[in-house]
Amino acid sequence: MSKHLKFLTALAFGVAAAGLVAAGPASAKVEGDTIIIGSAISFTGKYSTNGIHASNGYNLGVKRVNEMGGVMVGGKAYKLKIKYYDDESTPLRTAQLAERLIKQDGIKFILGPYSSATTKAMAPITEKYKIPMVESEGASRSLFTQGYKYLFAVLSTSEQYLASSIALAAEIAKKNGRKPSDVRVAMAFENDPFSLDVRAGVIDDINKFGMKIVVDDKLPRDLADMSATLTKVKALKPDLLVVSGHSKGAATAARQIKELKIDVPMIAMTHCEAAKIVKLFGAATNDFLCPTQWAETLSYKGKYFGTAAEYDKLFKATYDGYKNVPYQAAQASAAVLVWKDAFERANSFDTEKLRQALSETNMKTFYGNIKFSKAGNNIAKPMVLRQIQNGKFNVVAPSKWASHKVNWPRKVPGM
Amino acid sequence: MNTRLRRTLPYAGLLIAGIAAPFLFPDYTFQFTVLWVMILFALTWDILGGQMGYNSLGNIAFFGVGMYICAVVQIGLYYDVAQYTASYGAVKVEFTAEQYFTGLAVGLIAAGLGAMVFSVILGWVVFGLRGPYFAIGTLGVALSAGELTGAWDYVGGGGGIALPIYPGEPDDRSLFFYALCFVLAMILFFLLRWIYLGRFGLAANAIRDDEEKAEGMGIHTMRYKTVGWAIAAFFLGISGALFGNMIGFIEPLEVAFPTVTFGLFMVVMCLLGGRGTLWGPVIGATLFHTFKEVTWTYLLGWQWVALGALIVVSVVFFQQGIVGWVKEKWPEKFGIAVDDRALAETEPDLDEAPSQRLRRQTEAAQ
């Protein structure tokens, strides 16, 4: 080994050490009059559409709180600020970034990533370091069975997403003089933690009604083609088609349902708003059923954004290109409000006191009521089912919140 | 400075740097741990890719296989795996410290051996392929391994597996995994140094230079290729098992078989540092990892562009990698004797007419 090589090795390690030191600016949890909340979210990769919706929601929440006087702790007004990292839509990266936020950046407060898979990677680490995380985008119910104490989620869990569509199908069958057990269901789910969890909820309900499953396909990630499944659907003529595959999956499903002229009387899928399917595929998406965590037509109201409709208006005015505000953005803003509320009630930056304050959260917001169970999920807000009726999303189930009647069978103009 | 000391210095430096790093920069332990895994990736890829000229794009398969074997062993020792995965992690399992460490130890060994067996079987199939066909063949194996695991319900399919959580303090956990990754990388590094210096290294390079000729000279090329790949698979399998436990949640496509990220990074790191050298992968991995960490922090939004630029620059301007470039620039430092006069004599002058050359050679002989 030569002197040069030795020098080179030393150089490499020196650069590495210097780089890593430089990589972590010494931003503490609170700097001057700013509270820094950390978030690793998907700016690139397959969840980037929703990751950006969510970060827009976070940013709008922060902006609003800061505009309205910031956060009062110990008689002093603090501004909120979010430190972001890109998790590339992979849990592999999330775990590394969680360590980085907590260990190097000294962050003590976390806003969750987008998707169940990444939240699953984040939660064990925040839990280990006893750092509270308020998350708004990880819905998998398995997150709330691990006994996590520092995890709080403002959204409803994923097994509730499409279950209401099964109940609705049973209801319609009864109305038409058929037995619910005669209903034949076709299912297409992306093979990822979130969609499989949605599937588990759907299967529970299908079994409850004794319905028949005629297609049960698990589709590859980053779903770009599901024509094989849809061809089967066309041949088997089920009464209900349920699809779940994040935004990409919803867009693919809507496109191919249009192209292949699938005429199932009832179609339900997740992520309709986030995938902007109405804007992309127009009338072909008529009468799709879309579960949502939140809708701008609901009568929720809170101090910070006013009503759900007012939030909707503000969001559209702030960010270009939204015909419908995705619930992913709304719940992200709600998560920021939860942090703000907890800081003020705890009146401290101590993570233990904050955890306690978070667990006692009971607030009314534009996003709905927020109250956490012992497991950390929000139990005060229902999931609602909307139908795309003439390009508009109208709430059709559950009946308590329904503003419109469900259209059945679905009608597509020109088909 | 005497030669012996000078030669041991870089190795001692590497060891000292590795031991000191987590104590000097305790907050960066996790990044250093990932760095050792990256070094391990580059070193294992180089066994075939650099020393033998077999460019595999599918080595990441061993990483994933090891990760899954370890997870199944860790859970399977104390619970029913199918039941655990069927609920997508909705069942909480408690592991005592003793169960955790026993499971991990058995899992790590099983992961290494399992990946090794897999590599031997796989090698038997793909070593008939050469050049780009070998690269594409192995890439296919890695991609399909991810998809197959995703379709296998026993191991949770696309829903993945939540692994048991380290029973101690979080800082101890970081240090624990750092130590394991560091020791593993060091064992591999010194093992490779030892075998490259011996018969294995010569045979490997002979295969790279001309496999038919090597075969003709009586080298059992298949045996060397298989052994080389088995060593790579053994270490990759264990590193996968460790990595899975560090992440805490594994699933097939993005964590266990990340073909387009880790699977390609290991190749890029070798190319950057210098393939076919012992130190190249180490230097390449260190630079690459540092570059990635820095750009992912300061160039958010442009990080992939920066990474692409780095790869283009290294491929265009440093085709032999950093170590290869240094070696060419200062060959005498590497104990390569360059005697220009001797070189001129052995190399034929192409302008010389054959009859003239014959006369010159006869004169020289007399």
Side-chain angles (χ1 to χ4, degrees), chain B residues 47-68:
Chain B
I47 302 175
L48 250 76
Q51 302 288 346
M52 292 194 199
Y54 270 78
N55 299 316
S56 163
L57 293 178
N59 276 9
I60 198 70
F62 305 132
F63 179 76
V65 165
M67 195 184 279
Y68 265 93

Side-chain angles (χ1 to χ4, degrees), chain A residues 48-242:
Chain A
S48 58
T49 315
N50 286 315
I52 290 163
H53 291 330
S55 67
N56 284 344
Y58 284 153
N59 291 340
L60 189 61
V62 165
K63 197 172 151 224
R64 191 73 180 169
V65 167
N66 289 347
E67 277 169 6
M68 291 180 68
V71 182
M72 296 296 291
V73 178
K76 188 179 165 190
Y78 290 86
K79 296 248 178 278
L80 289 178
K81 193 183 159 196
I82 302 176
K83 179 162 184 64
Y84 286 114
Y85 286 110
D86 175 20
D87 69 14
E88 301 161 41
S89 306
T90 155
L92 201 67
R93 195 71 194 150
T94 306
Q96 297 177 43
L97 293 173
E99 292 269 350
R100 160 170 269 189
L101 282 165
I102 295 166
K103 292 296 289 182
Q104 285 144 46
D105 299 341
I107 300 277
K108 299 269 188 241
F109 328 111
I110 302 275
L111 278 165
Y114 177 79
S115 94
S116 295
T118 46
T119 311
K120 276 186 186 180
M122 179 73 99
I125 296 168
T126 48
E127 197 67 21
K128 277 273 163 203
Y129 287 108
K130 299 188 168 37
I131 300 290
M133 160 159 72
V134 179
E135 63 109 341
S136 54
E137 315 288 342
S140 178
R141 61 179 162 174
S142 54
L143 280 164
F144 310 102
T145 53
Q146 304 294 316
Y148 292 143
K149 288 204 192 69
Y150 295 83
L151 174 73
F152 300 94
V154 300
L155 76 179
S156 307
T157 46
S158 52
E159 81 280 2
Q160 300 170 39
Y161 273 58
L162 285 169
S164 53
S165 69
I166 302 292
L168 192 63
E171 212 174 283
I172 289 169
K174 260 189 225 160
K175 213 163 44 186
N176 294 337
R178 292 171 64 204
K179 278 186 295 194
S181 58
D182 290 341
V183 174
R184 298 158 76 242
V185 187
M187 314 195 298
F189 289 96
E190 187 180 336
N191 194 6
D192 90 321
F194 164 77
S195 296
L196 290 176
D197 219 47
V198 175
R199 180 175 172 274
V202 168
I203 287 188
D204 281 352
D205 271 42
I206 286 178
N207 291 340
K208 205 166 77 192
F209 290 108
M211 295 176 178
K212 278 185 211 64
I213 299 170
V214 290
V215 178
D216 180 9
D217 282 357
K218 286 182 195 163
L219 303 169
R221 305 281 172 88
D222 214 7
L223 197 52
D225 176 40
M226 55 180 291
S227 53
T229 303
L230 291 176
T231 310
K232 275 193 273 182
V233 168
K234 212 167 176 169
L236 292 165
K237 298 195 186 316
D239 301 297
L240 168 63
L241 167 65
V242 287

Side-chain angles (χ1 to χ4, degrees), chain A residues 26-37:
Chain A
S27 59
K29 50 176 185 172
V30 182
E31 277 178 350
D33 62 348
T34 308
I35 302 169
I36 296 170
I37 305 180

Side-chain angles (χ1 to χ4, degrees), chain B residues 189-202:
Chain B
F189 181 74
F190 286 103
L191 174 75
L192 290 182
R193 182 186 131 79
W194 178 62
I195 64 171
Y196 286 166
L197 286 176
R199 193 182 160 80
F200 182 90
L202 292 172

